[in-house]
């Protein structure tokens, strides 16, 4: 496994190309202390993939937590809205990957991320349909009980 080290140079480094023309992933670090560092342009594909995967995993886990929350609340009436919110988050994350990250990610990584989202989206859609059918079945049972 490769590791990367960022070192502060004592003298300025000369670049062959102007800074605006360098193609790569612009990463804005969230530093707690004040520094002159505003953004880092990463050109190594492996490092780009790992950074984006880390960000994706955080967002994916948040969506899974919504999904599991809705699974735990199946008896309560709010789970459909939680499923729908999770489905919206999946769509939002997919659009971010396609619009923002597809240019800098490798094709293999992009396909892997989109496949994970598609599986989760299909599972959410099935749960929403099941939930709606369960509600309809309960309503029919109530109507039958009232008509007797």
């Amino acid at each position: 496994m490769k590791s990367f080290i960022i070192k502060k140079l004592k003298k300025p480094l000369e670049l062959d190309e102007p800074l605006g023309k360098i193609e790569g992933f612009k990463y804005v670090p969230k530093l707690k202390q004040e520094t002159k560092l505003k953004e880092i342009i990463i050109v190594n594909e492996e490092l780009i993939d790992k950074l984006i995967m880390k960000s994706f995993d955080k967002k994916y886990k948040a969506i899974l937590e919504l999904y599991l929350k809705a699974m735990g609340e199946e008896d309560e009436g709010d789970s459909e809205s939680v499923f729908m919110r999770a489905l919206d988050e999946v769509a939002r994350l997919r659009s971010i990957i396609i619009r923002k990250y597809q240019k800098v990610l490798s094709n293999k990584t992009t396909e892997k991320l989109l496949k994970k989202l598609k599986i989760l989206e299909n599972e959410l859609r099935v749960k929403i349909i099941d939930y709606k059918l369960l509600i309809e079945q309960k309503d029919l049972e109530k109507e039958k009980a009232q008509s007797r």
Side-chain angles (χ1 to χ4, degrees):
M1 181 176 173
K2 292 183 180 180
S3 62
F4 300 91
I5 300 173
I6 298 176
K7 294 182 180 178
K8 185 175 182 179
L9 301 175
K10 294 182 180 180
K11 62 179 185 173
L13 181 65
E14 296 291 326
L15 297 174
D16 295 336
E17 296 182 38
L19 194 56
K21 292 186 178 182
I22 294 177
E23 300 252 345
F25 177 65
K26 293 182 181 178
Y27 178 73
V28 180
K30 296 177 181 170
L31 302 173
K32 296 183 184 208
Q33 56 191 2
E34 286 294 321
T35 63
K36 294 179 182 178
L37 184 64
K38 292 188 171 94
E39 71 178 18
I40 300 171
I41 299 175
I42 301 170
V43 292
N44 186 313
E45 284 187 20
E46 291 175 25
L47 188 55
I48 291 170
D49 286 352
K50 288 183 182 187
L51 280 172
I52 293 174
M53 283 292 290
K54 183 178 178 181
S55 173
F56 173 83
D57 286 340
K58 285 181 185 177
K59 294 174 184 174
Y60 189 78
K61 285 179 184 177
I63 295 170
L64 283 178
E65 287 174 7
L66 273 175
Y67 174 72
L68 293 174
K69 178 183 173 186
M71 292 294 293
E73 296 177 354
E74 259 190 56
D75 295 336
E76 300 174 18
D78 193 36
S79 62
E80 183 181 8
S81 64
V82 177
F83 283 134
M84 294 300 284
R85 193 167 10 127
L87 194 58
D88 288 343
E89 288 296 316
V90 168
R92 187 179 70 80
L93 191 54
R94 177 185 295 110
S95 70
I96 288 172
I97 290 170
I98 291 171
R99 286 187 292 114
K100 188 175 179 183
Y101 295 146
Q102 193 171 20
K103 296 174 187 172
V104 292
L105 275 176
S106 65
N107 288 338
K108 182 180 176 183
T109 306
T110 304
E111 288 175 8
K112 180 180 173 183
L113 297 179
L114 292 176
K115 186 176 180 180
K116 283 176 81 173
L117 287 175
K118 189 64 176 176
I119 291 169
L120 183 58
E121 179 184 19
N122 288 341
E123 186 67 29
L124 284 166
R125 289 185 190 278
V126 166
K127 289 296 179 183
I128 290 170
I129 291 169
D130 287 346
Y131 184 77
K132 287 181 179 179
L133 289 174
L134 183 67
I135 296 295
E136 287 179 14
Q137 184 179 10
K138 285 182 181 179
D139 290 342
L140 286 174
E141 288 175 2
K142 286 181 184 178
E143 288 177 12
K144 287 181 182 179
Q146 289 177 356
S147 65
R148 291 182 189 178

